Amino acid sequence: MSELITPDLVSLDQDLGGDKETVIGQLAALVQRTGRAEQLDGLLADAIARENKTATGIPGGIAIPHCRSAAVTEPTLVMARLAEGVPWGAKDGPADIVFFIAAPEGADQTHLKLLAKLARSLMKKDFVASLRSARSEQEIVRIVDDALDLSPAPEDGAAATATAGSTAAAAVPASVESRPGTQDAPATAEPTGSAPAPGASARRRIVAVTACPTGIAHTYMAADGLTYAAEGMGVDLQVETQGSAGFTKLDPATIAAADAVIFATDVDVRDRSRFAGKPYVASPVKRGIDEPKVMIEEALANAENPNAKRVQGAAGSADEAEASGGREGWGTRIRKAVMTGVSYMIPFVAAGGLLIALGFMVAGADIANIADDVLTGSTIWSLGEFTLAQYIGAVLFKMGSLAIGLLVPALAGYIAYGLADRPGIAPGFAAGLVANFMGAGFLGGIVGGLLAGLAAYWLAQPRLPRWLGSLMPVVIIPLLATLFSSGLLLLVLGGPIATFMAWLTEWLNGMTGASALALGAILGLMMGADLGGPINKVAYTFAAAGLGAATVANTAPQEIMAAVIAAGMVPPLGLALASLVAKRYFTVAEQENGKAAWLLGASFISEGAIPFAAADPLRVLPSTMVGGAVAGAISLSSGALSPAPHGGVWILPLIGNPLMFLLSVVVGTVVTAGIVVALKHVGGAHGRVADATRSREDAAAVPTTA
């Protein structure tokens, strides 16, 4: 097995910088210089991106920055004992002990378990004390190897005692380590799913799940923090660590016996529905490290409170509403539900739109008027008065139009799913079908989906007897939620919404000149505003959902779709062009991102500009907004149209007026690049890039020993 840490990966009592970003840069440079990373910029970018998600400082003056990166060639530990502590996000002050964990994208399970074990050792005071008292790099390596059980076996017991020194407490019990994916509980802890010890019936029981985006460090440190706090409080706590080293599910009997659940996670809990009905506490994973006792106290309080929130369903269900330790507001939850509906709707639009466009290519636009006659009056073996091209075109068009017909029901159904999980799907689809029937379009689908989801959610809240509770999700909730949402649409809301949609369609059909120019500019500006965020998605949803109303005589929805696609392509392409022609304003990492942005932009993936916007939002976002507005205005006012909702340049054969479509993209790209370069020049960005380059070169030259 490759060595995880060597003396040249240790830095003792040196000043590596006054902020955590500089320190991470110095440690990443050690990884590269020892031949364990192919390039510094990629590793540094991945490490800083992970750090920006959640600060990796923990109580006790410790920091454990970590990441997975394609730049890393083998799993690596870098340790620094800083001459002066650096603020790292922990509540009790700066960190002076820093472990940087760099894992390859495809690290094997054995190495991942060792990295996780190292993170857990940092929760032990004796292990940290031994790191602070070590006198040499070689001693640090030996201490870490002892904690990971990587040291050569000593010849006799006395030698073993001398070698381990003060790190004996850092070793993880072998009986626990042999169970991958479970927490390193103290040796006296009750194994997961086992029968309770004699006299333990009076102890309170809690189960917990810990998980972080990388799944290497915080997942396991939070598990240990909660375990040790529970032991001191006399609480029986079992933890399921959903990390990269694999995980073993809690025994169903253990879950059933638990009084409450703790979710210390930054990602969705796998198979969350196992905990249905249990009172719970949910917070970011770091809180399990910083405040484990408080979380346990909150869980115990919820177990005593009959009105406490309870787990309702699977991961991502409506009850999962914790962010940064607080409950999400209804505005956020509704926004997320609508975005869920949009994400599930897009495949219906994409498949249907492309099939319709292919039907037009094969048989001409008139196939929309005769498709039903072709399919009812002939077969592929007996074409009658129709040609083979007309028959194939009719098949393609019919499949596409049927798929497009599911657009509104899918939108409504999955909006309801986003609010109420599976019990909301049937009422949501029913409300979407009613919206279609009444001509209320996608706006009616959104309203119907929200009504169905909210009704299903509130119907699921009361605690009912088991015999009745089993009927709720499959019979009672779908029935009552459908009556409420579909009935409200049919009797009250559907008519006014349909009237508004008819007016909107008429207005779109009459767009010419200045009105088309203005609408295109507004949609383009929205596409460039947050690069795949909520504002971008509103503009895209407006365009994609409207495609279902397009006909041969009414091409306005397709013209809007083309304008949105053109504007969405511009941000990555504009930044790619800027980073190519004005390299001195962009770091090496940004120039590398620019190369990838060409393909992303050409494929209509606006998110390709996010790395640039994250580094310099005040210059990049205004540029992408103006460039997108220009592209949208040119495309919509020139009559370019797209029957497909996605694809970028790859759907160019389907685009109507392709030359003007391409012109709008090119002009928007040039405008974006020109504005961003001008803003960077005025702001002196080239000077900061030069400073960053010098810092990177200095980091590569930092000595590895004191």
Side-chain angles (χ1 to χ4, degrees), residues 91 101 176 285 304 333 362 366 393 411 493 561 633 661:
K91 294 183 178 180
I101 300 177
V176 176
V285 67
E304 299 291 338
R333 299 174 72 177
V362 171
D366 188 54
L411 175 64
L493 299 175
M561 191 75 253
F661 175 82

Side-chain angles (χ1 to χ4, degrees), residues 481-502:
T482 300
L483 280 171
F484 173 76
S485 56
S486 296
L488 205 55
L489 276 178
L490 278 167
L491 298 174
V492 181
L493 299 175
I497 295 174
T499 300
F500 172 77
M501 291 299 294

Side-chain angles (χ1 to χ4, degrees), residues 25 41 72 105 121 148 222 241 262 337-338:
D41 287 320
V72 178
E105 287 284 4
S121 296
L148 301 181
T241 51
I262 292 174
V338 173

Side-chain angles (χ1 to χ4, degrees), residues 199-292:
S201 58
R203 296 182 69 184
R204 305 306 304 274
R205 293 174 172 271
I206 295 176
V207 291
V209 177
T210 62
C212 69
T214 309
I216 295 175
H218 284 66
T219 298
Y220 304 97
M221 297 170 79
D224 284 349
L226 291 166
T227 298
Y228 299 151
E231 185 183 40
M233 299 168 68
V235 175
D236 181 356
L237 184 140
Q238 302 294 328
V239 186
E240 176 178 297
T241 51
Q242 296 186 358
S244 6
F247 79 104
T248 300
K249 287 186 176 181
L250 288 163
D251 191 294
T254 302
I255 297 174
D259 298 304
V261 185
I262 292 174
F263 296 125
T265 64
D266 287 333
V267 295
D268 287 342
V269 177
R270 303 178 202 176
D271 199 6
R272 182 184 171 106
S273 58
R274 292 174 291 153
F275 306 95
K278 296 290 180 183
Y280 74 99
V281 172
S283 289
V285 67
K286 195 168 183 294
R287 191 170 181 236
I289 303 171
D290 295 342
E291 301 177 344

Side-chain angles (χ1 to χ4, degrees), residues 397-447:
F397 175 83
K398 196 61 180 178
M399 288 191 296
S401 60
L402 290 172
I404 285 285
L406 288 172
L407 183 156
V408 173
L411 175 64
Y414 287 106
I415 287 175
Y417 168 77
L419 286 170
D421 201 57
R422 282 171 291 185
I425 292 180
F429 267 86
L433 289 169
V434 170
N436 264 355
F437 169 74
M438 300 196 70
F442 77 92
L443 186 58
I446 292 174
V447 173

Side-chain angles (χ1 to χ4, degrees), residues 85-424:
V86 172
W88 219 288
K91 294 183 178 180
D92 63 342
D96 64 322
I97 297 291
V98 182
F99 269 95
F100 177 45
I101 300 177
E105 287 284 4
D108 61 76
Q109 290 295 300
T110 302
H111 279 110
L112 290 173
K113 290 174 184 176
L114 290 172
L115 295 174
K117 191 174 180 182
L118 181 277
R120 311 182 86 149
S121 296
L122 288 168
M123 300 297 291
K124 303 180 174 76
K125 294 180 180 179
D126 289 349
F127 177 69
V128 176
S130 66
L131 295 174
R132 289 201 166 97
S133 63
R135 298 182 179 180
S136 68
E137 292 78 12
Q138 291 77 9
E139 187 176 357
I140 291 289
V141 172
R142 191 186 71 243
I143 291 169
V144 174
D145 284 349
D146 286 346
L148 301 181
D149 295 331
L150 297 179
S151 296
E155 296 182 1
D156 54 65
T161 302
T163 302
S166 63
T167 67
V172 179
S175 62
V176 176
E177 180 60 21
S178 65
R179 295 185 287 116
T182 60
Q183 85 279 5
D184 292 2
T188 58
E190 178 186 329
T192 299
S194 63
S201 58
R203 296 182 69 184
R204 305 306 304 274
R205 293 174 172 271
I206 295 176
V207 291
V209 177
T210 62
C212 69
T214 309
I216 295 175
H218 284 66
T219 298
Y220 304 97
M221 297 170 79
D224 284 349
L226 291 166
T227 298
Y228 299 151
E231 185 183 40
M233 299 168 68
V235 175
D236 181 356
L237 184 140
Q238 302 294 328
V239 186
E240 176 178 297
T241 51
Q242 296 186 358
S244 6
F247 79 104
T248 300
K249 287 186 176 181
L250 288 163
D251 191 294
T254 302
I255 297 174
D259 298 304
V261 185
I262 292 174
F263 296 125
T265 64
D266 287 333
V267 295
D268 287 342
V269 177
R270 303 178 202 176
D271 199 6
R272 182 184 171 106
S273 58
R274 292 174 291 153
F275 306 95
K278 296 290 180 183
Y280 74 99
V281 172
S283 289
V285 67
K286 195 168 183 294
R287 191 170 181 236
I289 303 171
D290 295 342
E291 301 177 344
K293 184 177 179 181
V294 176
M295 291 195 74
I296 292 172
E297 290 172 345
E298 291 176 359
L300 292 175
N302 283 352
E304 299 291 338
N305 181 5
N307 297 318
K309 55 187 180 291
R310 294 176 180 269
V311 180
Q312 297 294 329
S317 65
D319 69 299
E320 188 171 348
E322 298 291 337
S324 303
R327 192 172 178 84
E328 286 180 342
W330 275 105
T332 301
R333 299 174 72 177
I334 288 173
R335 176 181 60 80
K336 286 186 175 181
V338 173
M339 291 299 102
T340 298
V342 171
S343 67
Y344 280 102
M345 174 200 76
I346 288 173
F348 290 92
V349 184
L354 287 170
L355 285 168
I356 289 173
L358 289 173
F360 288 162
M361 289 181 64
V362 171
D366 188 54
I367 196 64
N369 300 320
I370 63 171
D372 289 346
D373 294 336
V374 172
L375 294 176
T376 56
S378 62
T379 67
I380 194 170
W381 313 114
S382 177
L383 295 172
E385 61 180 300
F386 302 106
T387 65
L388 179 61
Q390 286 177 318
Y391 187 82
I392 295 174
V395 169
L396 293 170
F397 175 83
K398 196 61 180 178
M399 288 191 296
S401 60
L402 290 172
I404 285 285
L406 288 172
L407 183 156
V408 173
L411 175 64
Y414 287 106
I415 287 175
Y417 168 77
L419 286 170
D421 201 57
R422 282 171 291 185

